[in-house]
Amino acid sequence: MEELTLSILVRNSSGVLTRVSSLFARRGYNIDSLTVGPTNNPEISRMTVVAQGDQRILEQIEKQLRKLEDVIEIFALPRSSSVYRELVLVKVESNASTRADIVSIVDIFRAKIVDVSPDSMVIEVTGDHGKVNGLLTMLDGFNIVEIVRTGMAGIARGLNDLDIKNKKEN
């Protein structure tokens, strides 16, 4: 199976997220990750969608998305020419005897401890899949109480990304 990451410019209006996610559901496609937020143009939002499938399914996903009225433009984000990031919060059980070991791991991954209580710590890590999964692997020996992931956000390197101003004028 291949992975496809799409950056999708959509009109910033109610119901757009529902229409996009419904398209996946109707056709039985799974969304591995979905993030959405406004762009520098308040009338346009950017969705970053990650899906997996064979080449035929991935092509079908892109074709079906292009048919949606609210979709302005779709831009594939290949790993070799894009930057990906995900924010993850990890709550780990800790006490006086484990705290120093957890802090050492957090420092190695350039993550942050954003909350400490007598019995737990909350760690914030931002990075690509490799960094996030590496930290989680290293914390596997501790009791991970809870994990919250934002989903993948991505942007093309250089000036290859979508020109939002031109899309608005068209």
Side-chain angles (χ1 to χ4, degrees):
M1 279 221 274
E2 297 177 43
E3 184 177 87
L4 175 67
T5 303
L6 297 174
S7 180
I8 308 168
L9 290 182
V10 296
R11 290 182 198 0
N12 190 3
S13 61
S14 62
V16 174
L17 179 58
T18 301
R19 286 186 284 283
V20 169
S21 61
S22 293
L23 180 144
F24 279 79
R26 282 192 311 268
R27 289 171 175 68
Y29 304 143
N30 188 42
I31 298 173
D32 292 335
S33 174
L34 172 66
T35 59
V36 62
T39 64
N40 54 335
N41 178 342
E43 296 175 12
I44 299 174
S45 289
R46 178 186 304 264
M47 292 182 173
T48 304
V49 178
V50 180
Q52 290 188 30
D54 61 33
Q55 188 62 36
R56 186 188 63 75
I57 288 173
L58 298 179
E59 287 173 6
Q60 201 54 245
I61 288 171
E62 192 169 345
K63 285 178 186 176
Q64 295 299 319
L65 285 169
R66 287 189 189 282
K67 291 180 181 180
L68 293 177
E69 184 177 316
D70 294 310
V71 172
I72 298 167
E73 185 62 71
I74 299 174
F75 188 71
L77 296 174
R79 289 218 177 264
S80 61
S81 58
S82 304
V83 177
Y84 299 113
R85 293 293 181 266
E86 180 179 20
L87 170 68
V88 178
L89 299 173
V90 183
K91 186 183 293 182
V92 181
E93 187 176 336
S94 68
N95 56 40
S97 65
T98 60
R99 198 164 287 122
D101 292 336
I102 295 170
V103 169
S104 294
I105 293 168
V106 168
D107 288 344
I108 290 168
F109 284 88
R110 289 177 295 197
K112 297 176 190 172
I113 297 171
V114 294
D115 185 65
V116 177
S117 70
D119 59 355
S120 69
M121 302 171 85
V122 176
I123 300 161
E124 173 189 309
V125 61
T126 304
D128 60 16
H129 281 305
K131 181 178 180 179
V132 169
N133 291 337
L135 174 69
L136 294 175
T137 298
M138 292 301 295
L139 292 173
D140 198 37
F142 301 93
N143 184 23
I144 296 176
V145 177
E146 192 173 1
I147 298 175
V148 179
R149 299 179 87 136
T150 61
M152 193 60 62
I155 193 166
R157 296 182 188 273
L159 295 177
N160 297 327
D161 207 4
L162 301 171
D163 184 346
I164 295 169
K165 289 180 186 174
N166 288 340
K167 299 302 174 191
K168 180 185 175 194
E169 293 170 4
N170 291 336

